[in-house]
């Protein structure tokens, strides 16, 4: 891959932020100062006003379709564009071979990918997954800390490989794994944590495994499990939430960001500040078992056993009572809130109210199972509506991983530094959302500054893989016919079949001054010409859309 001298310029890995005073890790047991865990994410945020994202501003798409199943027809046939729309929204790009297979299979490819994503076994846990902390003041503990960045890189590479469809026994399995990884990234942007806060790689692996495990599962169980996940207990101060001194951070985000939102669809308040106060009391008593299982562990000594009133229900509530109360008292609000998030991920930044209402009804009917809602949406006439196709701006991860996948570039460890650096510049570092509200997405991804960063990233990627341009070209049916080649390749890259005028323009970029009859993808200089054509495509406004 011919990396530059000294390797690709990777950003500085997360640095541990050491505690300045002893921390109580079990009742009456203290770890010394100097532990590399930031104590939560800082001061509690006032409960005034919602965090409004510009990503969701504007109008919904003008469509007449809903959650009814898409059936190809004369007015809405199964086309190459709809095939690529499905592959790009469910994963990260597609090779010509995968595209041809999905096009031949038709709309049934959606169910096939979902079924395989559910059936695929989770990746093997890294060897250090259950490695508990050595004694705090021992030499072994220092060695343990020093290993963390290498282990983070190791785990990050596993996730990148899955996103790049480099994991699985066949092409459909690989597409399914990439779909599951996309869901994991989506849920990590919902149940947000920041890796630099909790720092230790076992906590990251456990958190990401949780995102994968519940990606299409029971949302109620998801909410329960994530609240006592060690990464979340550290990030949102759950491990500091104790009787007599409750911390409201997790309680607030559980209501505002993770389940129901501040208001319902009519603008009525879903909860009060007093609900947050009472909820935080019910959540007291949890800590991370640093030197044992590494799981969240409950200490009754730290739990507030008094009476609390939450969403109108009074009792001596504890953690096991919280999820039932939320989902019984605010079932419709939760169904609506989560359905909107799923809609924005797979369809468009501004939800269609009728479609969201259908999704929420299905979510309630299924007992808050995620899979039926996702399956119905991705199979729907609305998802395949002409107005939906290529209506979303690609995120940096979608763009970077998608281009690499489409080019069939080698997935080797040498590229990890470049991937990380590219995402760092584009401000979507995997495992490191902007804040507890996550990446807003949508139009926030592109402005006059970030667009040039996107062009730089794509251009550099194409120089890195320039030697593989011929291999990319010969995967198409007619690589020796320059016009046929640019028609097929631009369709794959853009998700739309080009006009004849566009084909002529792209062909001129490919050929330069040589005549058609001299074109040969194996000729000297052909790799650079193919690269110039692909770079031209990546600079088009259409390439920023999916």
């Amino acid at each position: 891959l011919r990396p530059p001298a000294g390797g690709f310029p990777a950003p500085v890995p997360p640095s541990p932020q050491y505690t300045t005073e002893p921390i109580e890790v079990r009742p009456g047991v203290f770890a010394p100062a100097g532990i590399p865990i930031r104590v939560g994410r800082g001061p509690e945020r006032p409960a005034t006003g919602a965090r409004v994202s510009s990503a969701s501003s504007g109008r919904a798409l003008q469509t007449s379709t809903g959650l009814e199943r898409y059936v190809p027809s004369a007015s809405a046939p199964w086309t190459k564009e709809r095939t690529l729309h499905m592959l790009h929204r469910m994963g990260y790009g597609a090779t010509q071979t995968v595209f041809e297979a999905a096009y031949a299979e038709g709309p049934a490819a959606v169910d096939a990918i979902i079924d395989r994503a559910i059936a695929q076994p989770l990746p093997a846990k890294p060897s250090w997954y259950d490695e508990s902390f050595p004694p705090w003041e021992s030499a072994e503990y220092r060695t343990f800390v020093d290993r963390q960045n290498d282990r983070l890189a190791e785990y990050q590479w596993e996730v990148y490989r899955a996103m790049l469809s480099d994991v699985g026994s066949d092409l459909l399995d690989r597409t399914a794994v990439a779909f599951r990884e996309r869901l994991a990234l989506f849920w990590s942007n919902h149940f947000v944590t920041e890796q630099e806060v909790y720092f230790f790689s076992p906590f990251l692996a456990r958190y990401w495994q949780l995102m994968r495990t519940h990606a299409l599962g029971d949302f109620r169980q998801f909410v329960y499990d994530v609240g006592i996940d060690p990464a979340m207990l550290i990030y949102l101060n759950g491990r500091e939430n104790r009787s007599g001194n409750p911390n409201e951070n997790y309680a607030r985000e559980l209501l505002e960001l993770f389940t129901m939102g501040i208001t319902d669809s009519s603008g009525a308040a879903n909860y009060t500040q007093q609900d947050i106060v009472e909820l935080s009391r019910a959540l007291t008593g949890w800590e991370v078992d640093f030197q044992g299982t590494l799981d969240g562990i409950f200490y009754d000594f730290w739990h507030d056993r008094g009476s609390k009133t939450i969403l109108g229900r009074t009792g001596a509530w504890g953690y096991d009572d919280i999820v039932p109360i939320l989902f019984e008292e605010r079932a419709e609000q939760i169904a609506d809130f989560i359905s909107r998030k799923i809609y924005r991920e797979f369809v468009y930044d501004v939800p269609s109210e009728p479609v969201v209402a259908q999704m929420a009804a299905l979510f309630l009917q299924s007992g808050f199972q995620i899979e039926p809602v996702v399956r119905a949406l991705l199979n729907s006439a609305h998802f395949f509506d002409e107005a939906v196709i290529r209506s979303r701006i690609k995120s940096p991860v979608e763009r970077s991983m998608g281009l690499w996948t489409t080019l069939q570039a080698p997935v080797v460890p040498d590229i990890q530094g470049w991937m990380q650096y590219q995402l760092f510049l584009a401000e979507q570092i995997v495992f490191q959302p902007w804040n507890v509200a996550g990446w807003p997405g949508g139009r926030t991804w592109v402005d006059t500054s970030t667009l040039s960063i996107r062009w730089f990233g794509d251009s550099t990627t194409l120089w890195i893989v320039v030697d593989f341009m011929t291999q990319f070209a010969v995967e198409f049916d007619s690589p020796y016919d320059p016009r046929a080649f640019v028609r097929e390749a631009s369709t794959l890259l853009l998700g739309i079949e080009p006009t004849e005028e566009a084909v002529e323009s792209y062909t001129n970029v490919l050929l330069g001054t040589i005549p058609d009859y001299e074109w040969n993808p194996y000729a000297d200089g052909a790799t650079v010409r193919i690269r110039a054509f692909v770079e031209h495509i990546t600079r088009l406004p259409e390439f920023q859309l999916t």
Side-chain angles (χ1 to χ4, degrees):
L1 294 179
R2 299 191 304 188
F8 298 118
V12 177
S15 298
Q17 301 193 15
Y18 295 95
T19 56
T20 57
E21 57 187 33
I23 58 173
E24 192 174 16
V25 294
R26 294 195 298 275
V29 177
F30 291 80
I35 302 302
I37 297 179
R38 189 191 299 178
V39 183
R41 66 176 186 90
E44 294 174 354
R45 183 176 49 78
T48 54
R51 286 162 287 199
V52 179
S53 166
S54 61
S56 60
S57 61
R59 294 188 300 176
L61 298 171
Q62 301 302 301
T63 69
S64 59
T65 48
L67 215 57
E68 67 275 8
R69 195 175 184 91
Y70 165 69
V71 177
S73 64
S75 59
W78 181 247
T79 60
K80 293 179 179 180
E81 290 182 12
R82 284 190 167 87
T83 307
L84 288 165
H85 165 71
M86 178 265 295
L87 291 172
H88 290 172
R89 295 290 179 95
M90 292 183 73
Y92 299 104
T95 64
Q96 180 68 6
T97 303
V98 169
F99 160 59
E100 290 173 350
Y103 182 51
E105 185 161 359
V110 173
D111 281 327
I113 292 171
I114 294 174
D115 290 342
R116 293 222 183 179
I118 294 170
Q120 284 293 306
L122 292 175
K125 297 174 182 178
S127 60
W128 38 261
Y129 189 90
D130 292 317
E131 184 179 351
S132 62
F133 287 41
W136 306 104
E137 296 175 308
S138 67
E140 290 82 3
Y141 179 72
R142 270 302 134 201
T143 302
F144 176 74
V145 172
D146 292 341
R147 289 176 181 155
Q148 296 308 307
N149 280 324
D150 288 342
R151 290 175 173 179
L152 168 62
E154 173 191 332
Y155 195 76
Q156 182 186 70
W157 177 237
E158 180 208 313
V159 171
Y160 283 3
R161 283 189 59 210
M163 289 179 172
L164 292 166
S165 299
D166 190 50
V167 176
S169 57
D170 62 27
L171 291 175
L172 197 55
D173 280 346
R174 293 182 176 195
T175 304
V177 169
F179 172 57
R180 187 176 65 193
E181 217 62 28
R182 180 181 183 126
L183 285 167
L185 184 65
F186 162 68
W187 287 118
S188 76
N189 198 44
H190 177 75
F191 295 113
V192 171
T193 65
E194 297 174 50
Q195 192 274 333
E196 71 172 10
V197 173
Y198 55 82
F199 180 67
F200 288 96
S201 50
F203 298 152
L204 169 63
R206 287 160 177 263
Y207 167 76
W208 203 259
Q209 200 80 331
L210 190 63
M211 299 299 106
R212 290 165 165 166
T213 299
H214 292 300
L216 289 167
D218 186 324
F219 185 69
R220 292 167 302 186
Q221 189 65 45
F222 204 168
V223 172
Y224 181 92
D225 289 349
V226 82
I228 53 177
D229 177 77
M232 186 64 76
L233 283 170
I234 296 170
Y235 179 61
L236 286 181
N237 310 88
R239 59 168 302 274
E240 303 165 55
N241 185 20
R242 298 170 184 179
S243 178
N245 186 28
N247 186 295
E248 298 175 9
N249 273 357
Y250 184 72
R252 177 171 288 110
E253 308 308 2
L254 176 61
L255 300 180
E256 178 181 337
L257 297 177
F258 298 166
T259 56
M260 63 188 71
I262 294 177
T263 60
D264 64 17
S265 57
S266 67
N270 284 332
Y271 57 87
T272 67
Q273 171 60 21
Q274 190 58 32
D275 286 319
I276 293 173
V277 172
E278 299 287 88
L279 179 57
S280 67
R281 293 176 56 215
L283 297 173
T284 52
W286 287 87
E287 176 58 281
V288 176
D289 191 9
F290 292 99
Q291 294 183 318
T293 65
L294 297 183
D295 295 329
I297 185 171
F298 178 74
Y299 290 106
D300 187 73
F301 178 81
W302 284 333
H303 179 62
D304 184 336
R305 305 199 67 81
S307 179
K308 304 107 179 167
T309 300
I310 301 170
L311 301 180
R313 291 171 61 168
T314 302
W317 309 127
Y319 192 85
D320 287 349
D321 304 304
I322 295 308
V323 170
I325 290 173
L326 299 186
F327 280 79
E328 289 166 11
E329 296 299 324
R330 295 292 187 270
E332 293 183 0
Q333 292 87 341
I334 294 173
D336 177 83
F337 186 73
I338 301 304
S339 294
R340 289 175 186 278
K341 294 285 288 272
I342 294 172
Y343 183 98
R344 284 196 292 266
E345 171 66 12
F346 290 107
V347 183
Y348 187 61
D349 302 324
V350 183
S352 161
E353 295 300 327
V355 176
V356 166
Q358 290 179 296
M359 293 170 64
L362 179 58
F363 207 17
L364 287 168
Q365 178 187 339
S366 68
F368 290 97
Q369 298 300 307
I370 300 167
E371 175 267 325
V373 178
V374 171
R375 188 185 293 271
L377 181 63
L378 296 181
N379 274 301
S380 70
H382 185 75
F383 178 72
F384 285 107
D385 193 292
E386 193 71 33
V388 171
I389 297 173
R390 298 174 62 258
S391 62
R392 283 181 57 251
I393 296 173
K394 292 176 183 174
S395 70
V397 170
E398 285 177 295
R399 197 195 76 258
S400 300
M401 301 295 175
L403 179 59
W404 201 276
T405 299
T406 301
L407 295 176
Q408 301 187 66
V411 180
V412 294
D414 284 351
I415 70 171
Q416 183 177 1
W418 166 241
M419 285 290 184
Q420 181 73 348
Y421 183 65
Q422 190 177 13
L423 295 175
F424 168 76
L425 292 177
E427 300 183 353
Q428 193 183 20
I429 304 172
V430 178
F431 313 141
Q432 198 66 32
W434 291 354
N435 53 45
V436 71
W439 299 295
R443 294 183 180 273
T444 62
W445 285 131
V446 173
D447 57 29
T448 54
S449 173
T450 56
L451 184 58
S452 62
I453 290 172
R454 285 174 173 238
W455 290 341
F456 163 76
D458 295 338
S459 179
T460 304
T461 293
L462 291 170
W463 277 122
I464 293 169
V465 302
V466 66
D467 290 344
F468 299 91
M469 288 290 100
T470 295
Q471 179 181 320
F472 166 69
V474 298
E475 289 294 318
F476 295 94
D477 291 336
S478 304
Y480 292 90
D481 179 338
R483 284 173 176 75
F485 164 62
V486 300
R487 179 180 286 106
E488 293 177 322
S490 63
T491 298
L492 184 67
L493 288 159
L494 294 174
I496 183 173
E497 295 192 74
T499 64
E500 288 307 311
E501 291 79 8
V503 169
E504 284 304 308
S505 173
Y506 303 160
T507 303
N508 289 337
V509 173
L510 176 71
L511 296 177
T513 59
I514 68 171
D516 293 17
Y517 57 81
E518 287 187 11
W519 170 249
N520 184 336
Y522 289 101
D524 290 344
T527 57
V528 176
R529 292 186 180 280
I530 298 168
R531 182 205 170 277
F533 154 67
V534 176
E535 182 176 37
H536 177 76
I537 295 295
T538 64
R539 299 231 170 173
L540 296 174
E542 294 87 345
F543 187 73
Q544 307 306 323
L545 301 176
T546 181

